[in-house]
Amino acid sequence: MSRRRSLAAAALFLGALLASDPARADELRVVPSISAKGEYNNNLFFSERQRVDSFVATVTPGMEVTSRTERTEAGVSAYVPVLRYTGEGDLDAVDQLYQGNLGHRVSPELRLSAGAGFRSQSRPDRYIEETGLAVANRSHRQNGTATAEFTVSEKTTGNLSYAYEKIDFRNAAASESTTHAVTAVAVHDLGRRFPGTKARAVLGASWNLFEQSKVSNYSAAVGVERAVHELWSVVADLGVRYTRSEFDVVGLTEGDVGWTANVSARYKGEKTGGSLTLYHDVAAAPGRGGATERSAAVLDLRTRSTWELTGFLSTGYYRNRSDAGQFSAQAIDERTVRLRPGVRYDATKNIFIEAAYQYTRLTNGAADSAASQNLVYMMATLRYPLYE
């Protein structure tokens, strides 16, 4: 998708929402924003020997529009980060991030929702927090989702969802990928015997298509949702998977059996909050031309000392692994550790300043190499609600 086409699509979404009759909406919010970020990065491309450092200035104008009625919710966001590098002018870029969502309650028993997005991004660290992988080449990323949530009985609910994602890279050396995924979830309240506890059953299937291979993954899991008390909640799913990999070049087909885990614990207090996420499954590896067995542990904490001042900590460990001919043609063995402590100052409801230090270390077992990156930044953001 060209820049002109993506900008036109974003403008169309925004125009449709802005043109809606505010009198029909219970809530209509239009919030433009702008942020300015200055950072120093001592290893832009996570290189072990040929380090490239730079001061980076990023200015990001943005817009969020949401509309809500008794039965329908709609929203769209558009952000256009403009990046400028000192001493590395060829890296200067204009990124684009657009997302739209629509949800409608058809009846008390059925709610339908859908979303679509487009991202054109250039930062090598843009996939780190999601996958643990660094990707140097600019990528165009398209995604779409569709979900049906339904009530079966007073104690039983379920949902069926479909997700689509396509990643194209500007450099032909980085493999493209397309993913289709279907997930079905059933949740049953265990009632008086186990108050605040719900049982879960999850079935999933995904098809990851690469230029020279296809990786199909099928999984089944059982789990539990529990509200420990009003501040703590836990969702945990554990299961098994079967993965089938087909490689066009060598005409090889491989089957693999393993386990899956998806655990999320959240705490939300008046001044302190946080979350812990544990993940283990087979997933696409952006820019690697195949899939990996990914294990991840991510911890986010925040604490507010005053109304204006909040400290935060974000840290994560990621392991991406695949033998040659297992989930990818080439062997993948990468470990990533990241740590980001920082502080945020809210001058007003719509103006805040954030400063943080970030450390990231990438270890590539297949290439027997390791690289680290140190980054410090300060960012100021202004939001100006026009209508809410």
Side-chain angles (χ1 to χ4, degrees), residues 53-64:
D53 69 324
S54 178
F55 288 94
V56 186
T58 307
V59 176
T60 306
M63 174 77 77
E64 294 181 4

Side-chain angles (χ1 to χ4, degrees), residues 372-385:
S372 61
Q373 180 193 84
N374 292 276
L375 182 154
V376 292
Y377 73 82
M378 179 174 286
M379 178 177 67
T381 299
L382 168 64
R383 293 161 50 88
Y384 191 80

Side-chain angles (χ1 to χ4, degrees), residues 88-108:
E88 302 292 335
D90 57 325
L91 300 179
D92 293 349
V94 178
D95 291 350
Q96 301 169 63
L97 301 90
Y98 309 116
Q99 184 69 39
N101 299 284
L102 177 65
H104 180 70
R105 182 161 293 282
V106 179
S107 68

Side-chain angles (χ1 to χ4, degrees), residues 119 284 340:
R119 296 185 179 188
R340 184 173 67 246

Side-chain angles (χ1 to χ4, degrees), residues 229-264:
H229 55 68
E230 60 182 11
L231 301 180
W232 275 102
S233 63
V234 178
V235 178
D237 296 324
L238 299 175
V240 296
R241 63 160 178 82
Y242 171 73
T243 307
R244 180 182 176 86
S245 304
E246 304 172 53
F247 301 93
D248 298 338
V249 176
V250 294
L252 177 67
T253 300
E254 287 287 338
D256 187 89
V257 177
W259 60 280
T260 68
N262 200 339
V263 180
S264 176

Side-chain angles (χ1 to χ4, degrees), residues 10-160:
L12 184 61
F13 276 124
L14 285 169
L17 284 176
L18 289 170
S20 63
D21 183 2
R24 296 179 60 188
D26 296 331
E27 179 184 330
L28 176 64
R29 301 180 70 246
V30 180
V31 186
S33 65
I34 187 165
S35 67
K37 179 180 180 182
E39 69 180 78
Y40 171 73
N41 189 322
N42 78 334
N43 192 359
L44 290 173
F45 299 103
F46 299 95
S47 174
E48 182 179 25
R49 297 180 178 86
Q50 298 180 340
R51 290 172 173 253
V52 177
D53 69 324
S54 178
F55 288 94
V56 186
T58 307
V59 176
T60 306
M63 174 77 77
E64 294 181 4
V65 182
T66 58
S67 176
R68 185 193 303 269
T69 66
E70 184 178 354
R71 300 175 63 180
T72 304
E73 300 175 2
V76 64
S77 63
Y79 295 92
V80 184
V82 180
L83 295 87
R84 294 293 181 264
Y85 297 78
T86 60
E88 302 292 335
D90 57 325
L91 300 179
D92 293 349
V94 178
D95 291 350
Q96 301 169 63
L97 301 90
Y98 309 116
Q99 184 69 39
N101 299 284
L102 177 65
H104 180 70
R105 182 161 293 282
V106 179
S107 68
E109 296 80 19
L110 177 63
R111 182 180 185 274
L112 303 177
S113 61
F118 172 78
R119 296 185 179 188
S120 176
Q121 295 176 283
S122 59
R123 291 186 62 106
D125 60 0
R126 62 192 178 275
Y127 292 105
I128 291 281
E129 295 192 22
E130 179 183 351
T131 68
L133 300 171
V135 181
N137 301 302
R138 171 178 281 276
S139 63
H140 293 170
R141 187 177 184 181
Q142 304 170 50
N143 70 276
T145 60
T147 302
E149 304 170 63
F150 46 88
T151 300
V152 179
S153 67
E154 183 179 350
K155 292 187 176 182
T156 305
T157 61
N159 71 69
L160 179 65

